[in-house]
């Protein structure tokens, strides 16, 4: 690294370097940003990249002026914010898509229909009710697969946690296990025993 003097006015935090660390580092010949790839250590090193990024970029490149340097880093900040925005938007859309897939899966519909016939469920949760996915797995090929889900359920009489496992061959789903634990009493109602 060059011994070039770093102007005081560019010292400080660099969000572009922090958020786009490796890409930013390659662009500004600050290859030490590659250290962020190391497990565990890399998470902490990100803060060094944010704190020292301006200094490294200034020393490793030729700049017309401090103003040109600041303009360059401002563009990288805007790019980093756009990148984070896209990631957040993608994660929201992806999460909503997955939740929709789980909530509308034939296994969930079968589990809820079975639960609605249960007298204990009607007495402790009541109809109608709302439900939200806590954990879920869907797997296997189209011809043969499984589901394992846990839902929080809330009705006008109480709340509970629904857990079920199901499997299918072709389009025919079968419940392999279905339990609900009522929040108020902590009692577990085993509708279909888990084998």
């Amino acid at each position: 690294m060059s011994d070039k003097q770093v102007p005081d006015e560019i010292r400080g935090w660099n969000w572009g370097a922090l958020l786009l660390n490796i890409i930013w580092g390659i662009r500004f010949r600050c290859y030490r940003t590659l250290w962020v790839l190391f497990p565990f250590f890399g998470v902490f090193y990100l803060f060094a990249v944010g704190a020292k990024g301006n200094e490294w970029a200034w020393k490793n490149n030729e700049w017309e002026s401090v103003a040109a340097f600041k303009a360059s880093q401002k563009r990288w900040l805007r790019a980093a914010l756009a990148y984070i925005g896209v990631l957040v938007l993608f994660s929201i859309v992806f999460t909503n898509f997955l939740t929709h897939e789980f909530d509308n899966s034939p296994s969930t519909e079968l589990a809820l229909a079975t639960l609605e016939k249960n007298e204990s469920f009607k007495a402790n949760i009541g109809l109608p009710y709302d439900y939200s996915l806590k954990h879920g797995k869907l797997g296997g090929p189209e011809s043969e697969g499984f589901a394992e889900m846990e839902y929080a359920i809330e009705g006008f009489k109480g709340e509970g946690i629904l857990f079920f496992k199901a499997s299918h061959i072709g389009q025919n789903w079968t419940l392999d296990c279905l339990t609900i634990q009522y929040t108020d009493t902590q009692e577990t109602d085993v509708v279909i025993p888990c084998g």
Side-chain angles (χ1 to χ4, degrees):
M1 184 179 285
S2 164
D3 292 329
K4 187 169 26 173
Q5 186 68 34
V6 178
D8 289 339
E9 56 265 48
I10 70 159
R11 292 185 187 275
W13 195 260
N14 187 321
W15 284 103
L18 175 79
L19 298 172
L20 294 174
N21 43 76
I22 295 171
I23 299 168
W24 179 93
I26 291 169
R27 163 59 185 90
F28 293 107
R29 296 186 295 171
C30 302
Y31 303 114
R32 60 179 64 194
T33 58
L34 294 172
W35 283 99
V36 303
L37 294 173
F38 283 82
F40 189 68
F41 170 78
V43 174
F44 297 101
Y45 195 72
L46 276 173
F47 294 99
V49 172
K52 301 295 271 180
N54 283 342
E55 182 180 329
W56 298 341
W58 181 266
K59 288 184 175 182
N60 289 341
N61 298 272
E62 294 300 321
W63 299 96
E64 292 175 15
S65 64
V66 168
F69 177 86
K70 286 182 173 181
S72 168
Q73 298 311 305
K74 191 178 253 187
R75 285 192 297 274
W76 278 84
L77 170 61
R78 285 196 294 269
L81 293 175
Y83 171 71
I84 297 299
V86 168
L87 284 183
V88 168
L89 183 62
F90 175 78
S91 66
I92 290 169
V93 169
F94 185 69
T95 301
N96 285 338
F97 171 78
L98 278 184
T99 301
H100 178 76
E101 286 295 302
F102 282 113
D103 288 353
N104 293 294
S105 74
S107 61
T108 299
E109 291 173 0
L110 178 60
L112 293 175
T114 303
L115 200 59
E116 288 168 10
K117 296 173 188 168
N118 183 278
E119 293 304 320
S120 176
F121 174 77
K122 292 178 190 175
N124 287 281
I125 302 294
L127 301 173
Y129 57 88
D130 289 320
Y131 58 97
S132 60
L133 182 70
K134 289 174 62 95
H135 306 286
K137 284 192 272 186
L138 285 169
E142 222 173 278
S143 59
E144 186 176 344
F146 72 92
E148 184 175 312
M149 312 234 195
E150 185 175 286
Y151 282 92
I153 293 192
E154 181 178 354
F156 70 95
K157 293 183 179 180
E159 300 175 5
I161 301 295
L162 164 67
F163 174 79
F164 72 87
K165 290 182 181 179
S167 55
H168 75 90
I169 296 174
Q171 299 300 315
N172 299 319
W173 280 91
T174 305
L175 286 172
D176 303 319
C177 166
L178 191 151
T179 65
I180 182 163
Q181 183 180 51
Y182 302 112
T183 305
D184 291 343
T185 62
Q186 290 299 304
E187 289 179 14
T188 300
D189 188 9
V190 180
V191 181
I192 298 172
C194 299

